Amino acid sequence: MALSELYSDRILEIAGNAVQPGRLPDPAASARKVSRVCGSMIEVDITLSDGVITAYGHEVSACALGQTSAAIVAKAIVGTSVAEFTEVSRRMLAMLRDNGAPPEGKWSDLGFLQPAREFPARHASTMLVFDAVIEAIEKLESDQHLASKV
């Protein structure tokens, strides 16, 4: 597959019509990730309540793959438990690296990114939003852990 074939009409449509949620005014945690390979960048904000993501915002400057994965996450993440999001992130990585099945249900649009598995240099930008959200969750969990020890 040629690199130009990676950018299907559906990927370009999702990326081109992505709603930009913007940043949250008072997030519980934030994280910034940059792909060293292509320079794609995302900053995410989240709030959690009882292990469920209750608000999400982001600012993204990325290639079409990074924009597509960020758009799909932005559309589906609110109301998702930390455990479910962690599993979706794990499945995305397995889809790209190990020919695993794509996520299902409300995450099924992530399957449009399957062709990226043939381009390992594009995995980082495709996973950028997942890495950032997981980092923000870990920051919150670490803060909560430290607060419980005080």
Short mmCIF file of all heavy atoms in Angstrom, two decimals, residues 39-98:
data_model
loop_
_atom_site.label_atom_id
_atom_site.label_comp_id
_atom_site.label_asym_id
_atom_site.label_seq_id
_atom_site.Cartn_x
_atom_site.Cartn_y
_atom_site.Cartn_z
N GLY A 39 5.91 15.62 14.45
CA GLY A 39 5.63 16.91 15.06
C GLY A 39 4.18 17.13 15.42
O GLY A 39 3.81 18.21 15.90
N SER A 40 3.32 16.13 15.21
CA SER A 40 1.92 16.27 15.63
C SER A 40 1.88 16.52 17.14
O SER A 40 2.70 15.99 17.89
CB SER A 40 1.14 15.00 15.31
OG SER A 40 0.97 14.84 13.93
N MET A 41 0.92 17.34 17.57
CA MET A 41 0.81 17.72 18.97
C MET A 41 -0.64 17.70 19.40
O MET A 41 -1.53 18.08 18.63
CB MET A 41 1.40 19.12 19.17
CG MET A 41 1.40 19.61 20.61
SD MET A 41 -0.15 20.36 21.22
CE MET A 41 -0.48 21.64 20.04
N ILE A 42 -0.88 17.27 20.63
CA ILE A 42 -2.21 17.37 21.22
C ILE A 42 -2.07 17.73 22.69
O ILE A 42 -1.15 17.26 23.37
CB ILE A 42 -3.04 16.08 21.04
CG1 ILE A 42 -4.50 16.33 21.46
CG2 ILE A 42 -2.43 14.92 21.80
CD1 ILE A 42 -5.48 15.28 21.00
N GLU A 43 -2.95 18.58 23.16
CA GLU A 43 -3.10 18.87 24.57
C GLU A 43 -4.52 18.50 24.93
O GLU A 43 -5.46 18.92 24.25
CB GLU A 43 -2.85 20.34 24.86
CG GLU A 43 -1.41 20.75 24.64
CD GLU A 43 -1.16 22.20 24.98
OE1 GLU A 43 -0.96 22.50 26.17
OE2 GLU A 43 -1.19 23.02 24.04
N VAL A 44 -4.68 17.68 25.97
CA VAL A 44 -6.00 17.24 26.39
C VAL A 44 -6.28 17.68 27.82
O VAL A 44 -5.36 17.84 28.62
CB VAL A 44 -6.19 15.71 26.28
CG1 VAL A 44 -5.95 15.23 24.86
CG2 VAL A 44 -5.30 14.96 27.25
N ASP A 45 -7.55 17.87 28.11
CA ASP A 45 -8.04 18.18 29.45
C ASP A 45 -9.15 17.19 29.75
O ASP A 45 -9.97 16.89 28.88
CB ASP A 45 -8.64 19.59 29.50
CG ASP A 45 -7.68 20.68 29.12
OD1 ASP A 45 -6.52 20.64 29.57
OD2 ASP A 45 -8.10 21.59 28.36
N ILE A 46 -9.19 16.71 31.00
CA ILE A 46 -10.27 15.82 31.40
C ILE A 46 -10.73 16.16 32.81
O ILE A 46 -10.00 16.79 33.59
CB ILE A 46 -9.86 14.32 31.38
CG1 ILE A 46 -8.70 14.04 32.33
CG2 ILE A 46 -9.53 13.87 29.96
CD1 ILE A 46 -8.42 12.56 32.56
N THR A 47 -11.94 15.75 33.11
CA THR A 47 -12.43 15.70 34.48
C THR A 47 -13.01 14.30 34.67
O THR A 47 -13.51 13.69 33.73
CB THR A 47 -13.49 16.76 34.80
OG1 THR A 47 -14.59 16.60 33.94
CG2 THR A 47 -12.93 18.17 34.64
N LEU A 48 -12.89 13.81 35.89
CA LEU A 48 -13.38 12.48 36.24
C LEU A 48 -14.31 12.59 37.43
O LEU A 48 -14.13 13.44 38.30
CB LEU A 48 -12.24 11.54 36.64
CG LEU A 48 -11.23 11.11 35.61
CD1 LEU A 48 -10.16 10.24 36.27
CD2 LEU A 48 -11.89 10.35 34.50
N SER A 49 -15.26 11.67 37.48
CA SER A 49 -16.12 11.52 38.65
C SER A 49 -16.40 10.04 38.81
O SER A 49 -16.94 9.40 37.90
CB SER A 49 -17.43 12.30 38.47
OG SER A 49 -18.25 12.12 39.61
N ASP A 50 -16.02 9.49 39.95
CA ASP A 50 -16.23 8.07 40.24
C ASP A 50 -15.72 7.16 39.13
O ASP A 50 -16.39 6.21 38.73
CB ASP A 50 -17.72 7.79 40.51
CG ASP A 50 -18.23 8.53 41.73
OD1 ASP A 50 -17.46 8.66 42.70
OD2 ASP A 50 -19.38 9.00 41.69
N GLY A 51 -14.54 7.47 38.60
CA GLY A 51 -13.93 6.62 37.59
C GLY A 51 -14.48 6.77 36.19
O GLY A 51 -14.17 5.96 35.31
N VAL A 52 -15.30 7.80 35.96
CA VAL A 52 -15.89 8.04 34.64
C VAL A 52 -15.45 9.41 34.14
O VAL A 52 -15.44 10.39 34.90
CB VAL A 52 -17.44 7.97 34.71
CG1 VAL A 52 -18.07 8.35 33.38
CG2 VAL A 52 -17.88 6.58 35.13
N ILE A 53 -15.09 9.48 32.88
CA ILE A 53 -14.68 10.75 32.27
C ILE A 53 -15.94 11.57 32.02
O ILE A 53 -16.83 11.17 31.27
CB ILE A 53 -13.89 10.50 30.97
CG1 ILE A 53 -12.62 9.69 31.30
CG2 ILE A 53 -13.56 11.81 30.28
CD1 ILE A 53 -11.96 9.02 30.13
N THR A 54 -16.02 12.72 32.70
CA THR A 54 -17.23 13.54 32.65
C THR A 54 -17.10 14.77 31.77
O THR A 54 -18.11 15.38 31.42
CB THR A 54 -17.65 13.96 34.07
OG1 THR A 54 -16.54 14.65 34.68
CG2 THR A 54 -18.04 12.76 34.91
N ALA A 55 -15.87 15.15 31.44
CA ALA A 55 -15.65 16.28 30.54
C ALA A 55 -14.32 16.09 29.85
O ALA A 55 -13.39 15.50 30.41
CB ALA A 55 -15.68 17.61 31.30
N TYR A 56 -14.25 16.57 28.62
CA TYR A 56 -13.05 16.40 27.80
C TYR A 56 -12.90 17.61 26.89
O TYR A 56 -13.87 18.14 26.35
CB TYR A 56 -13.19 15.14 26.94
CG TYR A 56 -12.08 14.99 25.91
CD1 TYR A 56 -10.87 14.43 26.27
CD2 TYR A 56 -12.25 15.41 24.60
CE1 TYR A 56 -9.84 14.29 25.34
CE2 TYR A 56 -11.24 15.28 23.67
CZ TYR A 56 -10.04 14.73 24.04
OH TYR A 56 -9.02 14.60 23.12
N GLY A 57 -11.67 18.03 26.74
CA GLY A 57 -11.35 19.08 25.78
C GLY A 57 -9.99 18.80 25.19
O GLY A 57 -9.19 18.07 25.78
N HIS A 58 -9.75 19.35 24.02
CA HIS A 58 -8.42 19.21 23.44
C HIS A 58 -8.13 20.34 22.47
O HIS A 58 -9.03 21.01 21.98
CB HIS A 58 -8.21 17.85 22.76
CG HIS A 58 -8.89 17.66 21.44
ND1 HIS A 58 -9.63 16.55 21.15
CD2 HIS A 58 -8.94 18.42 20.31
CE1 HIS A 58 -10.10 16.65 19.90
NE2 HIS A 58 -9.68 17.77 19.40
N GLU A 59 -6.84 20.51 22.23
CA GLU A 59 -6.35 21.36 21.17
C GLU A 59 -5.37 20.49 20.41
O GLU A 59 -4.47 19.89 21.01
CB GLU A 59 -5.66 22.59 21.75
CG GLU A 59 -5.24 23.59 20.72
CD GLU A 59 -4.70 24.86 21.37
OE1 GLU A 59 -5.43 25.45 22.18
OE2 GLU A 59 -3.55 25.21 21.07
N VAL A 60 -5.55 20.37 19.11
CA VAL A 60 -4.74 19.45 18.33
C VAL A 60 -4.17 20.13 17.10
O VAL A 60 -4.84 20.95 16.47
CB VAL A 60 -5.56 18.19 17.94
CG1 VAL A 60 -6.73 18.54 17.07
CG2 VAL A 60 -4.70 17.14 17.27
N SER A 61 -2.92 19.81 16.82
CA SER A 61 -2.26 20.23 15.60
C SER A 61 -1.54 18.98 15.10
O SER A 61 -0.46 18.63 15.58
CB SER A 61 -1.26 21.35 15.88
OG SER A 61 -0.53 21.65 14.71
N ALA A 62 -2.21 18.27 14.20
CA ALA A 62 -1.70 16.95 13.82
C ALA A 62 -2.01 16.64 12.36
O ALA A 62 -2.81 17.33 11.73
CB ALA A 62 -2.33 15.88 14.71
N CYS A 63 -1.39 15.58 11.90
CA CYS A 63 -1.68 15.06 10.56
C CYS A 63 -3.11 14.50 10.55
O CYS A 63 -3.78 14.44 11.59
CB CYS A 63 -0.68 13.97 10.21
SG CYS A 63 -0.82 12.50 11.25
N ALA A 64 -3.56 14.05 9.40
CA ALA A 64 -4.93 13.55 9.27
C ALA A 64 -5.18 12.36 10.19
O ALA A 64 -6.28 12.22 10.74
CB ALA A 64 -5.22 13.17 7.82
N LEU A 65 -4.18 11.50 10.41
CA LEU A 65 -4.38 10.35 11.28
C LEU A 65 -4.57 10.80 12.73
O LEU A 65 -5.46 10.31 13.43
CB LEU A 65 -3.21 9.37 11.18
CG LEU A 65 -2.98 8.76 9.81
CD1 LEU A 65 -1.71 7.92 9.81
CD2 LEU A 65 -4.18 7.93 9.38
N GLY A 66 -3.74 11.71 13.18
CA GLY A 66 -3.86 12.24 14.54
C GLY A 66 -5.17 12.99 14.73
O GLY A 66 -5.82 12.88 15.77
N GLN A 67 -5.57 13.76 13.72
CA GLN A 67 -6.83 14.49 13.79
C GLN A 67 -8.02 13.53 13.82
O GLN A 67 -8.98 13.75 14.56
CB GLN A 67 -6.97 15.43 12.60
CG GLN A 67 -6.04 16.62 12.64
CD GLN A 67 -6.21 17.48 11.41
OE1 GLN A 67 -7.31 17.70 10.94
NE2 GLN A 67 -5.11 17.97 10.88
N THR A 68 -7.94 12.46 13.04
CA THR A 68 -9.03 11.49 12.99
C THR A 68 -9.19 10.79 14.32
O THR A 68 -10.30 10.70 14.86
CB THR A 68 -8.80 10.48 11.85
OG1 THR A 68 -8.77 11.19 10.61
CG2 THR A 68 -9.89 9.43 11.81
N SER A 69 -8.11 10.28 14.88
CA SER A 69 -8.23 9.58 16.16
C SER A 69 -8.69 10.54 17.25
O SER A 69 -9.53 10.19 18.08
CB SER A 69 -6.94 8.85 16.54
OG SER A 69 -5.85 9.73 16.62
N ALA A 70 -8.19 11.78 17.23
CA ALA A 70 -8.62 12.77 18.23
C ALA A 70 -10.10 13.10 18.08
O ALA A 70 -10.82 13.25 19.08
CB ALA A 70 -7.77 14.04 18.12
N ALA A 71 -10.58 13.20 16.85
CA ALA A 71 -11.99 13.50 16.61
C ALA A 71 -12.89 12.38 17.11
O ALA A 71 -13.94 12.63 17.72
CB ALA A 71 -12.24 13.75 15.12
N ILE A 72 -12.49 11.15 16.87
CA ILE A 72 -13.29 10.00 17.31
C ILE A 72 -13.31 9.94 18.83
O ILE A 72 -14.36 9.72 19.44
CB ILE A 72 -12.76 8.70 16.68
CG1 ILE A 72 -12.97 8.74 15.16
CG2 ILE A 72 -13.44 7.48 17.29
CD1 ILE A 72 -12.20 7.68 14.38
N VAL A 73 -12.16 10.16 19.46
CA VAL A 73 -12.11 10.17 20.92
C VAL A 73 -12.98 11.29 21.47
O VAL A 73 -13.77 11.07 22.40
CB VAL A 73 -10.65 10.28 21.42
CG1 VAL A 73 -10.60 10.61 22.91
CG2 VAL A 73 -9.90 8.98 21.14
N ALA A 74 -12.87 12.49 20.91
CA ALA A 74 -13.66 13.62 21.41
C ALA A 74 -15.16 13.33 21.35
O ALA A 74 -15.91 13.71 22.25
CB ALA A 74 -13.33 14.88 20.62
N LYS A 75 -15.57 12.62 20.33
CA LYS A 75 -17.00 12.31 20.14
C LYS A 75 -17.49 11.26 21.14
O LYS A 75 -18.64 11.29 21.56
CB LYS A 75 -17.21 11.82 18.71
CG LYS A 75 -18.63 11.51 18.35
CD LYS A 75 -18.71 11.06 16.89
CE LYS A 75 -20.07 10.50 16.57
NZ LYS A 75 -20.12 9.94 15.23
N ALA A 76 -16.62 10.33 21.53
CA ALA A 76 -17.08 9.17 22.31
C ALA A 76 -16.64 9.13 23.77
O ALA A 76 -17.18 8.35 24.54
CB ALA A 76 -16.59 7.89 21.62
N ILE A 77 -15.71 9.97 24.19
CA ILE A 77 -15.06 9.77 25.48
C ILE A 77 -15.92 10.14 26.70
O ILE A 77 -15.84 9.48 27.73
CB ILE A 77 -13.70 10.51 25.54
CG1 ILE A 77 -12.88 10.03 26.74
CG2 ILE A 77 -13.88 12.01 25.53
CD1 ILE A 77 -11.44 10.49 26.72
N VAL A 78 -16.73 11.18 26.61
CA VAL A 78 -17.50 11.60 27.78
C VAL A 78 -18.51 10.50 28.13
O VAL A 78 -19.22 10.00 27.27
CB VAL A 78 -18.20 12.96 27.55
CG1 VAL A 78 -19.15 13.30 28.69
CG2 VAL A 78 -17.17 14.06 27.37
N GLY A 79 -18.48 10.11 29.40
CA GLY A 79 -19.33 9.02 29.86
C GLY A 79 -18.63 7.68 29.85
O GLY A 79 -19.20 6.66 30.25
N THR A 80 -17.38 7.65 29.41
CA THR A 80 -16.59 6.42 29.35
C THR A 80 -15.83 6.24 30.66
O THR A 80 -15.25 7.20 31.18
CB THR A 80 -15.58 6.50 28.18
OG1 THR A 80 -16.31 6.65 26.95
CG2 THR A 80 -14.70 5.27 28.10
N SER A 81 -15.82 5.02 31.15
CA SER A 81 -15.05 4.75 32.37
C SER A 81 -13.57 4.73 32.04
O SER A 81 -13.18 4.48 30.88
CB SER A 81 -15.46 3.42 32.99
OG SER A 81 -15.02 2.34 32.18
N VAL A 82 -12.76 4.97 33.05
CA VAL A 82 -11.31 4.89 32.88
C VAL A 82 -10.92 3.49 32.41
O VAL A 82 -10.08 3.34 31.51
CB VAL A 82 -10.60 5.26 34.21
CG1 VAL A 82 -9.12 4.91 34.15
CG2 VAL A 82 -10.80 6.74 34.51
N ALA A 83 -11.53 2.47 32.98
CA ALA A 83 -11.22 1.09 32.58
C ALA A 83 -11.53 0.85 31.11
O ALA A 83 -10.73 0.25 30.38
CB ALA A 83 -11.99 0.10 33.45
N GLU A 84 -12.69 1.34 30.64
CA GLU A 84 -13.05 1.16 29.23
C GLU A 84 -12.09 1.92 28.33
O GLU A 84 -11.63 1.40 27.31
CB GLU A 84 -14.48 1.63 28.96
CG GLU A 84 -14.87 1.50 27.50
CD GLU A 84 -16.24 2.09 27.15
OE1 GLU A 84 -17.04 2.38 28.07
OE2 GLU A 84 -16.50 2.26 25.95
N PHE A 85 -11.75 3.15 28.69
CA PHE A 85 -10.85 3.93 27.85
C PHE A 85 -9.47 3.27 27.78
O PHE A 85 -8.86 3.20 26.72
CB PHE A 85 -10.72 5.38 28.32
CG PHE A 85 -9.94 6.19 27.33
CD1 PHE A 85 -10.56 6.71 26.20
CD2 PHE A 85 -8.57 6.37 27.48
CE1 PHE A 85 -9.83 7.41 25.24
CE2 PHE A 85 -7.83 7.07 26.52
CZ PHE A 85 -8.47 7.59 25.41
N THR A 86 -9.00 2.77 28.90
CA THR A 86 -7.72 2.07 28.93
C THR A 86 -7.75 0.86 28.02
O THR A 86 -6.79 0.59 27.28
CB THR A 86 -7.36 1.67 30.38
OG1 THR A 86 -7.33 2.87 31.19
CG2 THR A 86 -6.03 0.98 30.46
N GLU A 87 -8.86 0.14 28.02
CA GLU A 87 -9.00 -1.03 27.14
C GLU A 87 -9.05 -0.61 25.67
O GLU A 87 -8.45 -1.26 24.81
CB GLU A 87 -10.25 -1.84 27.52
CG GLU A 87 -10.53 -3.03 26.63
CD GLU A 87 -9.42 -4.09 26.61
OE1 GLU A 87 -8.56 -4.10 27.51
OE2 GLU A 87 -9.42 -4.91 25.67
N VAL A 88 -9.75 0.46 25.35
CA VAL A 88 -9.80 0.95 23.97
C VAL A 88 -8.39 1.35 23.51
O VAL A 88 -7.98 1.02 22.39
CB VAL A 88 -10.79 2.13 23.84
CG1 VAL A 88 -10.65 2.82 22.49
CG2 VAL A 88 -12.21 1.65 24.04
N SER A 89 -7.65 2.00 24.38
CA SER A 89 -6.29 2.38 24.05
C SER A 89 -5.43 1.14 23.79
O SER A 89 -4.66 1.09 22.82
CB SER A 89 -5.69 3.21 25.19
OG SER A 89 -4.36 3.55 24.90
N ARG A 90 -5.57 0.13 24.63
CA ARG A 90 -4.82 -1.11 24.47
C ARG A 90 -5.19 -1.79 23.15
O ARG A 90 -4.33 -2.26 22.41
CB ARG A 90 -5.10 -2.06 25.64
CG ARG A 90 -4.23 -3.32 25.62
CD ARG A 90 -4.78 -4.41 26.48
NE ARG A 90 -6.06 -4.93 26.02
CZ ARG A 90 -6.25 -5.72 24.95
NH1 ARG A 90 -5.24 -6.06 24.20
NH2 ARG A 90 -7.46 -6.13 24.61
N ARG A 91 -6.48 -1.80 22.82
CA ARG A 91 -6.93 -2.42 21.57
C ARG A 91 -6.43 -1.66 20.34
O ARG A 91 -6.10 -2.27 19.32
CB ARG A 91 -8.46 -2.54 21.54
CG ARG A 91 -8.93 -3.63 22.51
CD ARG A 91 -10.33 -4.03 22.31
NE ARG A 91 -10.48 -4.72 21.02
CZ ARG A 91 -11.64 -5.14 20.56
NH1 ARG A 91 -12.74 -4.96 21.28
NH2 ARG A 91 -11.73 -5.73 19.39
N MET A 92 -6.38 -0.34 20.44
CA MET A 92 -5.84 0.45 19.32
C MET A 92 -4.39 0.10 19.07
O MET A 92 -3.98 -0.11 17.92
CB MET A 92 -5.96 1.95 19.62
CG MET A 92 -7.28 2.56 19.24
SD MET A 92 -7.62 2.45 17.47
CE MET A 92 -6.39 3.54 16.79
N LEU A 93 -3.61 0.02 20.14
CA LEU A 93 -2.20 -0.31 19.99
C LEU A 93 -2.05 -1.72 19.41
O LEU A 93 -1.23 -1.95 18.51
CB LEU A 93 -1.49 -0.20 21.34
CG LEU A 93 0.02 -0.14 21.31
CD1 LEU A 93 0.53 0.99 20.42
CD2 LEU A 93 0.56 0.01 22.72
N ALA A 94 -2.85 -2.65 19.89
CA ALA A 94 -2.81 -4.03 19.37
C ALA A 94 -3.25 -4.06 17.90
O ALA A 94 -2.69 -4.81 17.11
CB ALA A 94 -3.70 -4.95 20.21
N MET A 95 -4.23 -3.23 17.54
CA MET A 95 -4.68 -3.17 16.15
C MET A 95 -3.53 -2.71 15.25
O MET A 95 -3.31 -3.27 14.18
CB MET A 95 -5.87 -2.21 16.02
CG MET A 95 -6.39 -2.06 14.60
SD MET A 95 -7.69 -0.80 14.45
CE MET A 95 -6.70 0.70 14.29
N LEU A 96 -2.79 -1.72 15.71
CA LEU A 96 -1.71 -1.17 14.90
C LEU A 96 -0.48 -2.07 14.88
O LEU A 96 0.12 -2.28 13.83
CB LEU A 96 -1.32 0.22 15.41
CG LEU A 96 -2.38 1.30 15.23
CD1 LEU A 96 -1.95 2.57 15.95
CD2 LEU A 96 -2.66 1.58 13.78
N ARG A 97 -0.10 -2.60 16.03
CA ARG A 97 1.17 -3.33 16.12
C ARG A 97 1.07 -4.83 15.94
O ARG A 97 2.01 -5.47 15.51
CB ARG A 97 1.83 -3.04 17.47
CG ARG A 97 2.28 -1.62 17.61
CD ARG A 97 3.10 -1.44 18.83
NE ARG A 97 3.54 -0.04 18.94
CZ ARG A 97 3.99 0.49 20.05
NH1 ARG A 97 4.09 -0.22 21.14
NH2 ARG A 97 4.36 1.75 20.06
N ASP A 98 -0.08 -5.39 16.33
CA ASP A 98 -0.19 -6.86 16.36
C ASP A 98 -1.31 -7.40 15.49
O ASP A 98 -1.76 -8.52 15.70
CB ASP A 98 -0.42 -7.32 17.81
CG ASP A 98 0.68 -6.85 18.74
OD1 ASP A 98 1.85 -6.83 18.32
OD2 ASP A 98 0.37 -6.49 19.90
#
